[in-house]
Amino acid sequence: GESVGLHLPTLSVQEGDNSIINCAYSNSASDYFIWYKQESGKGPQFIIDIRSNMDKRQGQRVTVLLNKTVKHLSLQIAATQPGDSAVYFCAEPSLIFGKGTTLSVSS
Amino acid sequence: NAGVTQTPKFQVLKTGQSMTLQCAQDMNHNSMYWYRQDPGMGLRLIYYSASEGTTDKGEVPNGYNVSRLNKREFSLRLESAAPSQTSVYFCASSVTGANTGELFFGEGSRLTVL
């Protein structure tokens, strides 16, 4: 069946490092993906999205890469800050969420 | 602008009791969703409403019912609560249906069933 998963449940980085969070999907027909950030005790919030006609999309300090050949996408956070500590989900296409990666940033 | 508002934020029930989680959005969105979030399981879709007057089952609908009361409100009802329904519940809305844009989430309702 369809699934969206993240490779690692946790990721620990130092402040200022670049972070890379990965996500694999199984439905080759998926054409739209969203990354969400969920801070402790709050609901998920939109970070960035990408459509399948793109390989890369950049936002403020975040970049999403999509590799349709291997059905993989990644979220890159530049110069990670303590405020980036949260759980990150990829979602496809709004109904199916991955299990999330917990990003911990130490200063 | 409140966005998506859920009530109550916390609730404790005994097995077999019933309750309704309320959700309202003030963004004039057409689509609304109910998810549950359990440790290590991520977000799982319970029910969704693509537009006013329609509802559809998601991945884990058993034990739940929903009502799309109007365009703003989408409620989730547990008729006979079970300990397995202990979870954090999130309501969300989007402009139109899946595959078209981001979801806006409420702050969540933490439910404990004893």
Side-chain angles (χ1 to χ4, degrees):
Chain A
E2 297 177 7
S3 66
V4 178
L6 290 167
H7 292 300
L8 291 174
T10 61
L11 177 65
S12 297
V13 301
Q14 293 284 326
E15 182 178 2
D17 287 350
N18 295 331
S19 301
I20 299 176
I21 300 171
N22 296 305
C23 183
Y25 62 95
S26 61
N27 185 357
S28 57
S30 299
D31 61 357
Y32 181 58
F33 301 90
I34 302 177
W35 281 97
Y36 289 90
K37 173 186 180 183
Q38 185 178 25
E39 297 177 344
S40 181
K42 297 186 177 181
Q45 285 188 301
F46 172 90
I47 302 174
I48 191 168
D49 58 2
I50 190 168
R51 295 202 176 272
S52 59
N53 61 351
M54 305 171 70
D55 296 323
K56 179 180 180 179
R57 190 169 188 202
Q58 288 184 297
Q60 187 173 13
R61 284 202 305 118
V62 295
T63 300
V64 56
L65 301 177
L66 176 62
N67 185 330
K68 295 179 287 294
T69 301
V70 296
K71 293 185 285 187
H72 177 274
L73 65 160
S74 65
L75 177 71
Q76 301 179 0
I77 305 173
T80 312
Q81 302 168 359
D84 295 326
S85 295
V87 180
Y88 291 82
F89 296 94
C90 59
E92 170 283 315
S94 293
L95 304 183
I96 302 173
F97 279 72
K99 294 183 179 179
T101 289
T102 300
L103 176 64
S104 298
V105 183
S106 54
S107 54
Chain B
N1 200 349
V4 178
T5 303
Q6 294 181 230
T7 56
K9 288 187 175 10
F10 299 93
Q11 183 72 48
V12 179
L13 292 176
K14 294 181 179 179
T15 297
Q17 288 185 317
S18 62
M19 76 157 298
T20 300
L21 298 177
Q22 307 285 356
C23 176
Q25 52 90 9
D26 61 3
M27 297 172 283
N28 201 34
H29 287 172
N30 289 303
S31 301
M32 297 185 73
Y33 312 81
W34 276 105
Y35 286 88
R36 60 177 289 172
Q37 186 174 36
D38 303 297
M41 298 295 293
L43 286 156
R44 292 183 292 170
L45 183 67
I46 304 171
Y47 271 94
Y48 68 100
S49 171
S51 61
E52 186 179 355
T54 69
T55 60
D56 287 285
K57 295 179 180 180
E59 181 184 358
V60 288
N62 292 343
Y64 305 95
N65 286 300
V66 291
S67 295
R68 183 76 183 266
L69 305 172
N70 48 55
K71 191 172 185 179
R72 290 187 65 249
E73 298 173 288
F74 189 38
S75 63
L76 178 72
R77 182 161 178 82
L78 287 70
E79 290 291 352
S80 179
S84 61
Q85 294 178 303
T86 294
S87 188
V88 181
Y89 292 85
F90 287 98
C91 178
S93 69
S94 64
V95 175
T96 54
N99 216 25
T100 59
E102 66 181 283
L103 298 182
F104 293 80
F105 284 85
E107 293 286 278
S109 298
R110 185 176 296 274
L111 175 65
T112 300
V113 183
L114 302 176

